[in-house]
Amino acid sequence: MLIRVRSNVGVWRVDGLDESTAKVDDVLRGIAQTRPDVVYEKPLSRDPACNSPLDTQKALKDQNLGHGSMVHCRVDAGTCVDITTKPSAGDAAEGGAGADGQQGDVPSGSNMKRIIDKDGSIRLIPSNEVRTDRDDRGFRKGMMPLRDIKMAWTLNEFVAMDSQFVFKLQRQESAICKQVSLDSPSVHDFQSYLQRFQFQRHRFGFLYGKFIETEDGEKKIKVEAIYEPPQNADPDAAEGFEQLEDPMEETVEQIAEMCGLQKVGWIFGHKPREQVLTAAEIIMAAEMQLEAAGGVEETPFCTVKVTTGKDGNVSVEAFQVSQQCMAMVAEEALEIGTDPSLCTVNDTFTAIQEGKDSKTVDNNFFLAVVPIVQHTSEMFVSQFPKANRDLDDRTPSHDELKRQLSKSGTAGWTFMDLLSDFNLLVYLAKFLDVNADFPKICQSVVDREVPLDDGYKIIITSMAGVDGAY
């Protein structure tokens, strides 16, 4: 089993885990094989903010983690040096003594070399020597030679091992998600912000809603709200933006869960171009589907993109990447190359397309279109200013809270109608206790037959500076 670990310094792969018994300690040992000095600032967790640590006593499978699953941690960047080196034939014959003088296996790498220290011990130091392809005797690039893995091989054993690195590309005819219904006011607000910059600034947000399964087994999505996490527009980044750490991430997830919602997809906007999705967006979509599915499994989780054409008309489209794409991203077989319309295949892997070895894959090959319909959410309004936006006319504040709640009693609006705004609830969470106060607030949001306690109404209207609005 393969587990991917996303840290603040990159993504690490821990392979060869026993799917039935592996625990957190096994993942940590796998990391320590190449980075023995890592200091963890936050433990292995389910969420990027590392607020939901994994249970060290339970097996990974019991925590819904399977092959290809992503976990998160934060580390001290100065302790993450990869100490690996690739042994030469002579080293292998000598057995490779470690820094402590003991015999042992030497992991593979390309930027270190052995020296004999003054006390006679052998240690690793950084090297500027450039290894050539002739020096790389692994059975695949970046891998150990066959005899370093095992002295004797049968043909069946070799074929079985080599096949793990071969992907025979097959197009997925249809998406798992048969339809996504988008909340019109939320999407309109998102695209309106992008239009302020003529779609020249890329931006993304998370879609919150429900997965729905019809009587005939079709899987669909109903989106009720959009949350835009902290980010910086960065034209030099492959995705066009840089996602920042979100201190509200766990709170947003809690509020969504209390409202009976979950993360069902993501939405992004980009400037006009020829590519439907770039390689970076393909890989990001696959990573999110992997996280939603808990591995390489079926999931309706989808990607929605908003852009404008040469004629100036705004278009909204939805996609899923194939399960094979998810599998390749889980194995880190796909990379971002020089051509954004193509995914580059990592040199360690082989992609077979139409019977031929292919070093790149057209992005469209991985895509399946998801039909879009629209609705207006019966649960939420989308009027409160969105968080984490710069250069916007409105920002979340008590004045904006007053502006929204003051509409109560006019034009048919009730206090609960106006309070039922996902981004307004996220703002309120900065001042109220999410665990103590929000269960009751969200219960009244979900079920309007359940009246909100007057005490909460007084507290909220006092914060907003509104009298008698409820």
Side-chain angles (χ1 to χ4, degrees), residues 221-242:
I221 290 175
K222 186 175 184 180
V223 176
E224 300 286 6
I226 298 175
Y227 171 72
E228 301 167 30
Q231 57 196 279
N232 286 331
D234 184 358
D236 295 327
E239 298 85 358
F241 53 78
E242 176 191 7

Side-chain angles (χ1 to χ4, degrees), residues 260-271:
L261 307 179
Q262 65 184 114
K263 195 181 295 180
V264 295
W266 70 297
I267 185 171
F268 72 97
H270 64 79
K271 62 185 179 182

Side-chain angles (χ1 to χ4, degrees), residues 361-386:
V361 184
D362 189 294
N363 297 342
N364 294 337
F365 186 86
F366 291 128
L367 292 178
V369 177
V370 178
I372 292 178
V373 296
Q374 299 182 50
H375 73 279
T376 299
S377 176
E378 297 179 356
M379 179 183 298
F380 291 117
V381 295
S382 182
Q383 299 180 10
F384 197 72
K386 307 305 180 285

Side-chain angles (χ1 to χ4, degrees), residues 219-289:
K219 296 179 180 179
K220 298 181 179 181
I221 290 175
K222 186 175 184 180
V223 176
E224 300 286 6
I226 298 175
Y227 171 72
E228 301 167 30
Q231 57 196 279
N232 286 331
D234 184 358
D236 295 327
E239 298 85 358
F241 53 78
E242 176 191 7
Q243 183 177 357
L244 306 176
E245 184 174 355
D246 186 3
M248 295 294 291
E249 179 178 13
E250 183 180 7
T251 299
V252 172
E253 292 293 330
Q254 284 181 284
I255 293 173
E257 184 177 355
M258 291 177 195
C259 291
L261 307 179
Q262 65 184 114
K263 195 181 295 180
V264 295
W266 70 297
I267 185 171
F268 72 97
H270 64 79
K271 62 185 179 182
R273 65 186 187 205
E274 295 181 359
Q275 301 90 12
V276 180
L277 263 68
T278 64
E281 290 157 0
I282 289 283
I283 293 172
M284 186 170 178
E287 288 180 341
M288 290 195 183
Q289 285 184 206

